[in-house]
Every structure is written in C-alpha cells, then in structure tokens.
Amino acid sequence: MQSGRYICFLTSFQIYLSVVTDCWNMGGVCAAILVGILLGFSLLANGLNLWPMPASVSYGSSTLYLSRNFRLRTDGSKYSDGSGILNDAFLKMVDVIGDAHVIDGIVPSSGVLDGLHVQILSEDDELNFGADETYKLSIPASNKETYAQVEAQTIYGALHALETFSQLCYFNFTSKIIELHSAPWRIIDQPRFPYRGLMIDTSRHYQPLSVIKKIIDSMAYVKLNVLHWHIVDRESFPLEIPSYPNLWNGAYSYSERYTIADAREIVQYAQRRGINVLAEIDVPGHAVSWGLGYNSLWPSFDCQEPLDVSNEFTFQVLDGILSDFSKVFKFKFVHLGGDEVNTTCWKTTPHIKKWLRKKRMNESDAYEYFVLRAQKIASSHGYEFINWEETFNDFGKQLSPKTVVHNWLGRGVAEKVVGAGLRCIVSNQDKWYLDHLDATWVGFYMNEPLVNITKPEQQKLVLGGEVCMWGETADASDIEQTIWPRAAAAAERLWTPISKLATDPKIVAPRLAHFRCLLNRRGVAAAPLFAPGRGTPTFTGSCIQQ
C-alpha cells in the first residue's frame, strides 16, 4: 500500500507543478499564491486533507478498509436517538463516502473497519445556542479493534465527528472499495466560536426550498452552525404571516413564496444537521414590500419607506410577525435589522411631522424610538436580538444590554462594541461579503474577528462571525458557486484554534483546493479556487488545478 501512496504522491506532484506553471503564466493573485503551493504539499502527501482543520490531530501510516456492511453502534450511549438524527446522519455519511461510485470490490480479510461506535453523553437533542460541539474521534490501526470510536457530549458534536470521518475515506478505483489511510487517527476537536454563520437573502431573488436545503447540507460539511435567513426586504415579502396574511402580497409572484409550514420545514431540516436558523426582518428601513399588503404601513403612497413610525398599526404588525416567528424560529436570537434608515419620508410627510412635533422628537430620535420599541416587542416573545451596526453607531448607549451588534461596515467597530460591554458578530463587508465578486478566498481566510481585541473578557463577547450572500446577483442558478469555496475559507477561521490557522495562504491553498473538489464530488457547485467570486475554469485540467 505504501507504493500506492507513492504513486498518488507523484501524480499529485505533477498536477501541482502544472498548476504553478499555468497560474504563473496567467499572472496576478493566482500566481502569487501558487508559487508557494508546494510548501503545503506535505499535508496532501500525509493525507491530512481535513477541512476545517481540527484542534488536535495525530495519525499514522496504516491503511484500513471499510466493511461492505459498515455499521453504527451506540451501546453505552446515553442518547437514545428517538428522533433519528444520528441514524440519518450516519446513513448520509456512508452515502457521501462512496462519491456515488459502485462499491463492488472484495474487502481484504485483514485491516477491516466494521463500523463506528458512537457514544453521546447528553440525553437530549435541543439545539441551544452554545451547545457543546466537542468530539473525540479515534480510529484504530489493526484488527484488534474493528470499530472507530466517537465520543461527544451532544448529538451535535457527534455530527461533526461523522463529517470529519467522511473526509478521511477514499474510493480506490483499482480495488473498488473504500479505504482509510494514515491510521491510527486521534482527533480531539471543538469550535473556536459558538456562532459560525452564513446569510442568504431571499428577497432580492427567490431561492427554492430545495436550494436552501442544499445550502444547509453544504454548511454542515464545513461545520457552520447558523443559517441567517434574510427573508424579506424592500424588494419582496415572500413569507406567509398568519397574523397578517396580506403581507406576502409583496412577493414577486404567486409561486415565489414560502408558507409558514415551509419555514418550519427549513428550521427542522437545519436542526437535524446541527444548524440554527436566524430569521431577520429588517426594520424600519428596507420595508417597501410590506405596504403592498397593508399600504397604511407606508408614510404615504409617494414616500414608502421607512415604515410609518407614527402609526400604531406598524407596531401591531411587527408584534404579529414576531409572534408567528416565535412558533417557528426557535433560535434564541431574532435579527431586527435597523441599517440604512433614510428618514427623509418622516421629515416630509405631514402627519408624521405632526407626530414628531407632538412627541418632541426629530427624525433621529424617531429612528432610535423605533429600534428600541422593536427590541421590546421581540423581548416580549422570548427573543434576544441582533441589530446591524448603525444602531450602535448612532445610539449605542441606549440599546438593550441583550443586543448583539452585527458589524458590517468595516474594521474597528467590533472592538468598540465589546468595549461597551455588548456582544458582537463580525461580517465586515470588505472581507466577508460573498456578493463582492472581486473578494478572494484569501481575504476570507485571513479575516480575523478578534483583531485588536486582546482582553479575554472582551474576546468572549465576540460570538463569532458570518459570511453574507446578498442576493442582488444570486438566484438558484449561481448561488452555490458564489458561496463556495470562499465561505469554507471563513468557516475554518471560525472553527479552528488560531494557533492552528495558517499565517500564509500559500500553505493552506492545496488543502482548500482538495476540499473544493470534494464539494464538487458531493454535488455542490463550488467555483474554482483561483477565480474571483463565482468564476469559471479558465483552462483544462484536473479539478484540483482550477
């Protein structure tokens, strides 16, 4: 088997030399990165092709063969799997390991791995924020032990262990069986941040339910754990709200809608993969579409945004939406937006001007009033809340201490937020906005959420980060290749201990290229690694060359 690994080494070496040559001829960022790609080649030669990189890894040099009847054992586990989460995840793992190939070879009589023995120490499967996602994965090197061992505090840690295990397995095209190289393995792993998010925007372009589910599956591959669903915006209101059924008159068309049952299905589908769904309604701006169902929410027909701050009906609708949300979106947080509020309509609409005078407010006071009142409504439905950073920049001292500030405009804000004692999520647009098609994976990987935040008590207030897929130029035809593999680069930054992160992107490039090809084999339309945004292959060759 060592000779087989040596042939693989030589083949990969030739591929990488070709990559460096081709990319050097192309010039630009591609060549600058790839000129040092062979520095990371030892990782490939040793089989350490895991993404994201675990906290602690040790491995050997033996090869194991997966039994044709690879099984799941759970004896000794406190978790009963009454909901079937573990069993379903195990079956899916076995399916993706085969890369859709026909596995019909003869498994050798020695070095056979019969299955996974999973022990989970917690009895419940509640996906609470901050749930323990740690796991230990041990894979033997001989027939003395025929089961790999997984130990996790919760089912969600076990799901991460299954994903890691799947990335260690390879289909052998000669023997037509599944092999696991470099045993024995000992992996101890846990996330760096509790919040590791991806935002999708279904208001600028509708995304079918099947596409959203596929994105959720992809998130699980990189251990992201929050799907931020920016459901509605000024362009469209596609979601059914039972308390105010005319709101989805603001959808683009009759068929580009989500029923409340659809939303519940997405939440449950994500939960079974260890992913919470964060719902957002962006108020008081970004809400023109609301008025297509209830036009009294507009300041006037001629001036339709922000929502009418002077009208009690506005807050009744907000209360109804959040009441309906609380029955479906069980994550502890709701996102209330609050960004890019242009108050011109409030200054120029007669009845609102009159209300402002009566309340002795100017338009800035009214903006603060709206945001704080929305927070109180959210709190009444059991939510803590996230607001975009403008709310902190404009009236941070007035925000509820339950507020999580979502940084997006640039650097320097996160350190001010945690310095004020509030929690923060980092999504600075210069690095982590996927709709910026000129942003490369290198920028995604090197973006550090804790920059200039050195005090341990303040570092704990940075819950994590999120990459944002704003939907102006992304629909079902191109959303996957716009997200991947750049989101994977950020995912490792959010999962892996900082001491294990590469300080030079040239070192990590081969491993990310390998993972991008793995995504392709799993049916995910991840774009070429060395193309900006959602670029296409620029020359012929192996997937790993692109």
Side-chain angles (χ1 to χ4, degrees):
M1 193 59 220
Q2 289 298 319
S3 61
R5 290 181 68 213
Y6 180 67
I7 291 171
C8 179
F9 179 96
L10 288 178
T11 302
S12 297
F13 183 80
Q14 290 166 350
I15 288 173
Y16 277 105
L17 282 180
S18 174
V19 175
V20 174
T21 302
D22 290 342
C23 224
W24 181 264
N25 291 336
M26 290 166 59
V29 175
C30 180
I33 295 169
L34 285 181
V35 71
I37 200 169
L38 293 177
L39 294 175
F41 185 72
S42 60
L43 295 175
L44 293 173
N46 289 324
L48 194 56
N49 281 325
L50 298 173
W51 198 278
M53 183 64 73
S56 174
V57 182
S58 64
Y59 55 93
S61 58
S62 298
T63 295
L64 301 176
Y65 310 96
L66 267 64
S67 167
R68 294 282 299 276
N69 187 28
F70 194 73
R71 298 182 293 275
L72 172 67
R73 276 179 48 193
T74 58
D75 49 292
S77 178
K78 292 184 179 180
Y79 180 69
S80 65
D81 199 31
S83 60
I85 294 176
L86 179 59
N87 187 65
D88 287 352
F90 177 80
L91 293 176
K92 180 175 176 60
M93 181 200 73
V94 171
D95 183 57
V96 301
I97 281 174
D99 277 346
H101 295 297
V102 176
I103 303 169
D104 59 1
I106 298 174
V107 178
S109 58
S110 62
V112 178
L113 200 58
D114 289 328
L116 272 176
H117 182 199
V118 179
Q119 292 184 296
I120 300 171
L121 304 182
S122 174
E123 298 178 2
D124 69 68
D125 54 21
E126 288 293 318
L127 185 56
N128 299 314
F129 180 67
D132 193 319
E133 299 176 83
T134 62
Y135 69 89
K136 296 178 183 178
L137 173 63
S138 300
I139 301 172
S142 69
N143 274 357
K144 292 181 180 179
E145 299 176 68
T146 60
Y147 277 77
Q149 305 290 327
V150 170
E151 181 181 309
Q153 291 295 320
T154 70
I155 175 60
Y156 303 108
L159 296 183
H160 294 318
L162 296 187
E163 173 55 35
T164 298
F165 182 87
S166 75
Q167 293 184 27
L168 296 174
C169 299
Y170 300 87
F171 177 75
N172 185 313
F173 281 88
T174 301
S175 64
K176 299 179 178 60
I177 60 175
I178 302 298
E179 298 180 349
L180 192 153
H181 301 164
S182 304
W185 286 88
R186 171 79 171 164
I187 296 174
I188 302 174
D189 206 6
Q190 65 183 37
R192 182 183 177 202
F193 291 101
Y195 186 109
R196 307 179 304 280
L198 166 66
M199 190 212 78
I200 60 170
D201 170 11
T202 58
S203 67
R204 276 54 182 256
H205 282 100
Y206 178 82
Q207 298 293 346
L209 292 169
S210 59
V211 171
I212 297 175
K213 288 182 176 181
K214 200 173 177 187
I215 290 170
I216 290 169
D217 287 336
S218 305
M219 291 174 65
Y221 297 153
V222 296
K223 300 180 174 65
L224 292 175
N225 69 344
V226 178
L227 176 69
H228 173 183
W229 191 359
H230 187 89
I231 306 173
V232 306
D233 211 291
R234 59 169 58 97
E235 289 83 0
S236 74
F237 197 117
L239 179 64
E240 177 186 22
I241 302 295
S243 296
Y244 291 91
N246 291 341
L247 281 170
W248 70 352
N249 291 355
Y252 284 126
S253 70
Y254 181 80
S255 61
E256 292 173 295
R257 292 175 169 178
Y258 307 102
T259 68
I260 202 71
D262 292 337
R264 187 176 291 110
E265 167 68 14
I266 290 297
V267 169
Q268 292 172 352
Y269 188 89
Q271 185 262 339
R272 295 180 71 83
R273 287 149 183 80
I275 295 169
N276 274 302
V277 178
L278 169 68
E280 179 180 359
I281 47 171
D282 196 348
V283 293
H286 293 276
V288 170
S289 62
W290 298 38
L292 297 175
Y294 299 95
N295 53 52
S296 63
L297 294 170
W298 291 332
S300 71
F301 277 94
D302 297 325
C303 208
Q304 299 176 345
E305 193 179 70
L307 295 170
D308 189 343
V309 67
S310 71
N311 189 348
E312 279 300 303
F313 180 65
T314 298
F315 297 99
Q316 292 171 15
V317 171
L318 188 56
D319 182 68
I321 292 172
L322 291 172
S323 176
D324 291 345
F325 271 21
S326 69
K327 299 176 180 66
V328 176
F329 299 104
K330 299 299 184 179
F331 193 32
K332 73 179 288 184
F333 298 109
V334 68
H335 204 305
L336 298 176
D339 64 311
E340 298 181 325
V341 180
N342 183 340
T343 58
T344 301
C345 287
W346 289 350
K347 292 190 294 183
T348 58
T349 304
H351 75 271
I352 298 179
K353 287 173 62 179
K354 181 179 180 181
W355 181 86
L356 289 172
R357 285 195 298 270
K358 182 178 179 181
K359 295 289 186 179
R360 296 183 178 179
M361 292 183 184
N362 58 33
E363 62 274 12
S364 296
D365 298 328
Y367 168 39
E368 176 184 327
Y369 166 83
F370 195 112
V371 168
L372 297 183
R373 188 165 176 185
Q375 288 189 339
K376 289 180 181 178
I377 294 171
S379 184
S380 73
H381 293 290
Y383 282 119
E384 295 181 32
F385 25 80
I386 302 171
N387 283 100
W388 294 108
E389 73 171 68
E390 286 94 326
T391 59
F392 175 80
N393 296 338
D394 289 353
F395 46 88
K397 292 183 179 179
Q398 307 307 317
L399 291 172
S400 164
K402 292 184 177 180
T403 305
V404 178
V405 177
H406 198 160
N407 158 233
W408 73 279
L409 286 172
R411 293 198 176 274
V413 175
E415 56 194 280
K416 294 177 183 177
V417 171
V418 298
L422 295 176
R423 294 167 294 177
C424 187
I425 295 167
V426 174
S427 292
N428 49 309
Q429 63 173 335
D430 59 323
K431 297 297 183 183
W432 276 0
Y433 267 32
L434 292 156
D435 58 305
H436 291 197
L437 299 182
D438 59 343
T440 67
W441 71 266
V442 175
F444 279 76
Y445 190 87
M446 300 305 292
N447 188 41
E448 172 51 49
L450 296 184
V451 64
N452 296 328
I453 302 174
T454 57
K455 296 179 180 178
E457 64 274 17
Q458 293 183 353
Q459 290 180 340
K460 291 178 181 179
L461 293 175
V462 179
L463 301 184
E466 175 180 295
V467 291
C468 297
M469 182 64 265
W470 295 104
E472 284 84 351
T473 66
D475 64 9
S477 72
D478 62 1
I479 189 170
E480 281 190 293
Q481 56 263 48
T482 314
I483 292 173
W484 309 108
R486 294 180 300 163
E492 179 158 290
R493 173 67 52 173
L494 292 168
W495 176 273
T496 302
I498 193 166
S499 61
K500 300 287 186 179
L501 292 168
T503 56
D504 185 340
K506 293 191 293 291
I507 301 298
V508 79
R511 189 163 49 86
L512 183 55
H514 173 91
F515 182 73
R516 178 254 169 173
C517 295
L518 177 67
L519 290 177
N520 284 176
R521 295 199 303 273
R522 291 182 178 185
V524 179
L529 185 64
F530 298 110
R534 51 173 173 252
T536 57
T538 56
F539 49 89
T540 61
S542 166
C543 166
I544 209 165
Q545 290 178 271
Q546 309 303 321

